[in-house]
Every structure is written in C-alpha cells, then in structure tokens.
C-alpha cells in the first residue's frame, strides 16, 4: 500500500514537472506548448535559446524529461514505469523509451541529439509509422514572436562573439538560418569574407536567401582551406538552389573525399533540374564505389524516373555497397522495371540485401513477389523473418510500408 502511494505521488510529480516546463516556456516566450509532436520541434529551438552552456542540471533534466515523456504517452501511447523513470508499452511493438536519458543528451550535446530526431526513430520503430506532424513550415507564428523579441539580433551577437564557445555560435547560426531574418543578412554577408566567422556565416546562409552571397559561397566550396567551412558552403549553395554551382558540385562529387562527395551529391539533389540529374548519372559510370553510393542517395531525393535504368544496372554492381544503395533506392522510386532483379536479390547471401529487396518489392506492389516473400518467413536469419512477417500482410492487402528501411 505504501509503495503504491509512493508511486502515485511520483507520477503526480512527473506530470507537474511537465506542466512547469510548459509554463516556463509560456512565461519566457509567450508560447503555449500543447504536448503535440509539433511542440517538440519548437522545444528543440527553444533549448538552443535557453541554454548557452551545455550542462544538464538535475532540475533541467527533470522538467524536460517529464515533458518529453508526456508527449510520448499522448501521441504514441504507453505509460510511465516509475521504477526506471521510463515510458513503456509504446505503440504496436510495446516498446520502451527513456525520456530523461534523452533530455540529458539533448542538454549536453545540443543539436546533435535533437528531440525531434529521437522521437521520429521511436515512432518508426514502435509504431511502424513514418508520418510526423511537425515541420518547419508550421512555425511562422513562433518565428514571428522570436523576431518581435529581437532574437535574430541576439543570435547574431552570439555568432559574432569570439568569447562564445564554438558550439554556441554554431547553434546560433543554425537558428538564424531558420528565422530567415532580412536585417541580419548584410552583416552575415560581410562575415563570409572574415576568416574568423566564415564558417558560421555559411551555416546561416543555408536558411537565409541572399543572392549576393552566392559567388563567395561557390568560391568557399572549393577554395576554403577548412573542410568544415567547405561542407557548410556546399550545403548553403544547395539550399539556395544555386544553378550556377552545378558544375562545381559535380567536380566535388568526383573527389576521393567521400564526405565532400556526400554533401555535394545532396546539394545537387536540392538544386535539381536536368543538368543536376545529368551530372549525377555521369557518376554512375566508371567511378569509385563511394562516389556512386553518394550519387544514388541524391537520385533518391530527385525521384526522376530517368535514373531507373542506371539504378537497375547498379543492382548488379560488383561492389556490395553500390548494390545495397541501389536496392534501397527502389523504396523511394518504386518501378516495375526493377521487379525481376529485386526478386533475384531475395536469394542474396547478405541478409541485409534480402531485407532491402523485400521492402523495395512491397513498395512496387506487384503480387508476383508474394510467394518469394512468403519464403522469407522461414529464412534462417531471425531479422529477415521478422521483416517478412511485417511485409507479407502489406503486400497481400496492397498497401505500402509506413516508412523506409535503411
């Protein structure tokens, strides 16, 4: 009886802590968090405004963790497990999550451990649901409130202050990009020419549209001695959809440095258009496997069916990494032309390949794949059997998976 009473009291304290977090946000920013999925997006931004020091005090972890747990319960189901301070019984898979651990990670590691990314993984794993009800487009009211409170100017001060820690300046630059403030653009444009601040200005220009910044951003993509700055500049020309950068990005995509290749490929996909597609398809010729994998990941984003014959050919590439990437791509570009090759790949020695091929076949949705998929229910590898058990009913019903398999 006494233990039950203690648990009930602790449960009440968790709910009160969540309410206190909500009331603190409302008091400081005049914003009402409603425990929706979208409120996590807002919370991630607010945390970067609240905390300039990456330290997780017990009080901060308690408030944030309690709020995070209540968001999980409201949207994905489940209940508090008092003994471990976990949320259990989440979704169809009855999964378990540890919101206080994630709260501490978010406070200590910043944007590298966002609440939204963590939540999305849980929803896909435990609910087999890839749909999320939050996005940047729904934040205009929130952004306007921050601008009214001059947060764009305060963030700019953080970016320019050499006394701030690098991670503080980096997060401030990311948030400035999201706010898309016109009045900070001229100052950031000057900082592209200041070696001390170039890196942070490139980050901000991933969100702030500014045609005058493009020539210098292109130059930084290839000429900056700092790899980190090059990566941020590459992302910036991609987000700005700079068509004059296509040939430059194509050259970067051929480099041996696969990190630069990855970002160049993603930037090309965001620029889009026939020229960008042609550059990516050229990489699918006689280039290193790593370059091909980067190009395939960009072709997924472009979703142009002109690339399907190239992806089908890549299914038979001698390098497994290329075959895997091409197989995965047909989840995003389901096409009947890949049906027979994917059926063949269900017999691959690699269990990973068998799973990826199975997902691609269900996205294509052809009933010819039913019997081969049913054979996977008796596969010697448990992971393959589990995925097959999920996929076979979907194909039988003519529906697609809720999310993609990586």
């Amino acid at each position: 009886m006494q233990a039950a009473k203690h648990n009930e009291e602790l449960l009440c304290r968790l709910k009160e802590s969540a309410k206190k977090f909500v009331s603190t946000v409302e008091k400081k920013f005049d914003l009402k968090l409603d425990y929706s999925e979208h409120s996590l997006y807002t919370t991630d931004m607010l945390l970067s405004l609240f905390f300039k020091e990456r330290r997780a005090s017990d009080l901060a972890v308690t408030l944030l963790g309690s709020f995070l747990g209540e968001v999980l319960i409201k949207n994905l189901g489940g209940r508090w497990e008092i003994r471990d301070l976990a949320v259990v019984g989440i979704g169809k898979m009855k999964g378990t999550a540890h919101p206080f651990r994630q709260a501490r990670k978010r406070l200590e590691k910043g944007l590298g451990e966002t609440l939204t990314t963590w939540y999305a993984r849980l929803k896909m794993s435990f609910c087999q649901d890839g749909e999320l009800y939050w996005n940047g487009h729904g934040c205009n009211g929130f952004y306007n409130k921050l601008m009214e409170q001059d947060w764009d100017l305060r963030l700019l001060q953080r970016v320019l202050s050499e006394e701030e820690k690098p991670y503080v300046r980096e997060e401030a630059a990311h948030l400035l990009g999201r706010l898309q403030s016109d009045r900070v653009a001229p100052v950031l444009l000057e900082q592209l020419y200041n070696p001390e601040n170039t890196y942070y200005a490139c980050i901000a220009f991933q969100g702030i549209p500014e045609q005058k910044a493009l020539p210098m951003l292109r130059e930084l993509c290839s000429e900056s001695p700092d790899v980190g700055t090059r990566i941020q500049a590459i992302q910036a020309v991609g987000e700005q959809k700079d068509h004059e950068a296509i040939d430059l990005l194509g050259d970067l995509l051929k480099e041996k440095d696969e990190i630069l290749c990855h970002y160049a490929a993603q930037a090309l996909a965001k620029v889009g258009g026939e020229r960008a597609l042609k550059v990516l398809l050229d990489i699918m010729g006689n280039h290193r496997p790593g370059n091909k994998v980067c190009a395939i990941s960009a072709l997924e984003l472009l979703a142009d069916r002109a690339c399907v014959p190239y992806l089908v050919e890549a299914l038979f590439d001698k390098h497994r990494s290329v075959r895997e990437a091409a197989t995965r791509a047909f989840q995003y570009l389901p096409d009947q032309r890949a049906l027979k090759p994917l059926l063949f790949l269900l017999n691959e020695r690699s269990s990973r390949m068998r799973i990826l091929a199975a997902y691609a076949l269900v996205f294509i949705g052809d009933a010819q794949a039913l019997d081969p998929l049913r054979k996977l229910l008796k596969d010697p590898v448990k992971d393959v059997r589990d995925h097959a058990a999920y996929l076979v009913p979907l194909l039988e019903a003519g529906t697609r998976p809720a999310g993609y398999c990586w």
Side-chain angles (χ1 to χ4, degrees), residues 186-231:
V187 177
L188 289 170
L189 185 59
E190 294 175 2
Q191 303 312 308
L192 286 177
Y193 299 87
N194 179 353
E196 297 297 324
N197 297 330
T198 302
Y199 173 80
Y200 306 107
C202 288
I203 293 174
F205 278 123
Q206 290 167 31
I208 299 173
E210 177 54 75
Q211 290 291 313
K212 294 178 181 178
L214 295 180
M216 188 57 182
L217 288 170
R218 288 194 291 269
E219 183 177 327
L220 291 167
C221 286
S222 56
E223 302 298 331
S224 175
D226 177 62
V227 174
T229 299
R230 292 181 72 187
I231 289 172

Side-chain angles (χ1 to χ4, degrees), residues 121-177:
R121 287 198 302 265
L122 291 180
K123 189 171 185 179
M124 189 66 244
S125 298
F126 299 151
C127 303
Q128 295 174 337
D129 185 353
E131 292 294 324
L132 294 170
Y133 301 99
W134 46 263
N135 58 66
H137 301 296
C139 289
N140 289 338
F142 170 47
Y143 293 162
N144 289 338
K145 285 182 181 292
L146 293 181
M147 298 276 280
E148 289 169 5
Q149 298 173 26
D150 290 334
W151 268 104
D152 56 336
L153 300 181
R154 293 155 74 177
L155 288 169
L156 180 62
Q157 288 178 344
R158 288 188 191 178
V159 169
L160 300 182
S161 175
E162 296 182 15
E163 295 180 0
E164 296 283 10
K165 293 181 174 62
Y167 65 76
V168 173
R169 301 175 72 185
E170 187 172 340
E171 287 198 27
H174 275 291
L175 296 182
L176 264 182

Side-chain angles (χ1 to χ4, degrees), residues 34-305:
D34 57 3
Y35 299 95
S36 65
E37 293 183 348
H38 183 78
S39 69
L40 289 180
Y41 181 91
T42 303
T43 300
D44 266 324
M45 287 194 68
L46 291 176
L47 290 173
S48 293
L49 301 179
F50 269 127
F51 301 103
K52 291 206 302 179
E53 292 293 329
R54 285 188 180 171
R55 48 190 171 79
S57 69
D58 290 341
L59 176 58
V61 171
T62 298
L63 296 180
L64 180 58
S66 299
F67 172 74
L68 190 51
E70 289 295 310
V71 172
L72 283 175
I73 292 168
K74 177 175 179 179
N75 293 281
L76 305 185
R79 67 185 186 282
W80 282 107
E81 171 56 62
I82 299 301
R83 182 181 59 185
D84 297 327
L85 288 179
V87 176
V88 300
I90 301 172
K92 301 175 185 177
M93 309 302 290
K94 303 302 179 185
T96 298
H98 299 274
F100 288 95
R101 293 181 191 173
Q102 181 59 28
R104 187 173 294 279
K105 286 181 180 179
R106 175 63 180 87
L107 293 169
E108 291 180 346
K109 298 183 179 180
L111 293 177
E113 287 286 348
T114 61
L115 305 179
T116 47
T117 301
W118 176 78
Y119 178 91
R121 287 198 302 265
L122 291 180
K123 189 171 185 179
M124 189 66 244
S125 298
F126 299 151
C127 303
Q128 295 174 337
D129 185 353
E131 292 294 324
L132 294 170
Y133 301 99
W134 46 263
N135 58 66
H137 301 296
C139 289
N140 289 338
F142 170 47
Y143 293 162
N144 289 338
K145 285 182 181 292
L146 293 181
M147 298 276 280
E148 289 169 5
Q149 298 173 26
D150 290 334
W151 268 104
D152 56 336
L153 300 181
R154 293 155 74 177
L155 288 169
L156 180 62
Q157 288 178 344
R158 288 188 191 178
V159 169
L160 300 182
S161 175
E162 296 182 15
E163 295 180 0
E164 296 283 10
K165 293 181 174 62
Y167 65 76
V168 173
R169 301 175 72 185
E170 187 172 340
E171 287 198 27
H174 275 291
L175 296 182
L176 264 182
R178 294 186 189 182
L179 291 178
Q180 298 187 347
S181 167
D182 291 337
R183 56 183 175 177
V184 301
V187 177
L188 289 170
L189 185 59
E190 294 175 2
Q191 303 312 308
L192 286 177
Y193 299 87
N194 179 353
E196 297 297 324
N197 297 330
T198 302
Y199 173 80
Y200 306 107
C202 288
I203 293 174
F205 278 123
Q206 290 167 31
I208 299 173
E210 177 54 75
Q211 290 291 313
K212 294 178 181 178
L214 295 180
M216 188 57 182
L217 288 170
R218 288 194 291 269
E219 183 177 327
L220 291 167
C221 286
S222 56
E223 302 298 331
S224 175
D226 177 62
V227 174
T229 299
R230 292 181 72 187
I231 289 172
Q232 299 302 337
I234 290 168
Q235 292 184 86
V237 296
E239 294 292 347
Q240 302 255 6
K241 300 188 183 303
D242 180 12
H243 285 268
E244 291 188 35
I246 288 177
D247 291 338
L248 168 64
L249 293 171
D251 291 338
L252 292 171
L253 186 49
K254 297 173 186 175
E255 288 200 7
K256 293 181 180 179
D257 187 330
E258 291 184 10
I259 295 177
L260 287 175
C261 288
H262 166 77
Y263 286 105
Q266 297 298 301
L268 278 167
K270 289 179 179 178
V271 173
E274 291 185 9
R275 282 181 58 215
L277 176 64
K278 185 178 183 301
V279 169
L280 290 167
L281 293 181
D282 178 62
I283 299 298
M284 299 298 290
N286 297 319
H287 285 276
R288 288 179 293 272
N291 302 80
K292 289 183 181 181
V293 170
C294 292
I296 291 171
S297 69
L299 291 171
E300 290 175 356
L301 293 176
L302 274 180
D304 189 317
R305 297 201 175 273

